[in-house]
Amino acid sequence: MPRTVWYPGHMAKGKRQLATLASDIDLIIEVRDARAPMLTSSPTLSLFAPKIETAVVLSKSDLADAHITKVWTQYLKDMGFSVYALDLRKGGMSQITRQLLAKKPKFRDLRMAVVGIPNVGKSMLINQLVGRKAASVGGIPGITKGVSWFSGQGFLLVDSPGILDPHADARAHRLISWIGSSRGQIIGSFEEHAKECIEFIASKKLWHGVETALGVKYEGTPDEILHSVAKRLGKLKSGGIADLEAAGRAFLDALANGKYGRMTFEAPGDAPLWLWKSCRDDADKTLAPQSYQIK
């Protein structure tokens, strides 16, 4: 039977290790992808006492729609989180570090935990906070294999591997694989994922970014469009036959890396993203619900 989720052993081990440290943590920094802040929320927050303060970092904000990121920032602040929208590649952590250190206990270092699903930028954030290359950083989900402590000026910081929810709907795992936070090839073919992603992007009225980057119009079925993508990218087998697996992988890699321009896939109040096929007929639904419009 094909696998529907990616949940390797190091995730389960990391979750157990994190649970044993939960009572020693003063503050949580949760990293989410700004393009899908609800979908990429961490399933590990339930390990910590509800009274522990949580700061949410919306990473990859340079890849997200700036207006909707402002909507998310206000929404999450209203929920009681401290919120920072960042392009972690550019740094800019000095002000945030000062604000976090203001919460330092008088007689010891502040103990912080950085949590999040794979490949949202946790290791890059740690490098910025600690001020040196303290944690491995890479584009492959699952690079951090265990729980580790790092020492900064006035704080101790615990890192954990990116942890997914093994009980989440299989469609949610497919969606996060499109932005690089799960190994999609383990739960399906690149061709299969790309075809579904093509339909998803069009349903969100975001195809213009793909058309600008690739020169491929949204005309025909997802299969026909992926054939056009294969020809445009030169992903062909002998005889000029489209290599849909290679084209699918290239299409999804480009999406994950922001090659199609700024895109945000959900806003506060939207139905869960993995239900998008059930909700796509709701054509008049706004991306930013009225109660969270930015004036």
Side-chain angles (χ1 to χ4, degrees), residues 203 205 269-271 276-286:
S203 76
K205 297 180 172 55
D270 283 356
W276 69 274
K277 284 192 174 181
S278 304
C279 304
R280 60 186 170 184
D281 293 333
D282 188 8
D284 296 326
K285 187 180 181 71
T286 61

Side-chain angles (χ1 to χ4, degrees), residues 185-205:
Q185 68 271 32
I186 292 177
I187 57 176
S189 69
F190 287 114
E191 176 185 349
E192 173 192 354
H193 286 303
K195 288 178 182 177
E196 190 174 14
C197 184
I198 286 168
E199 188 178 6
F200 169 80
I201 292 173
S203 76
K204 291 289 182 179
K205 297 180 172 55

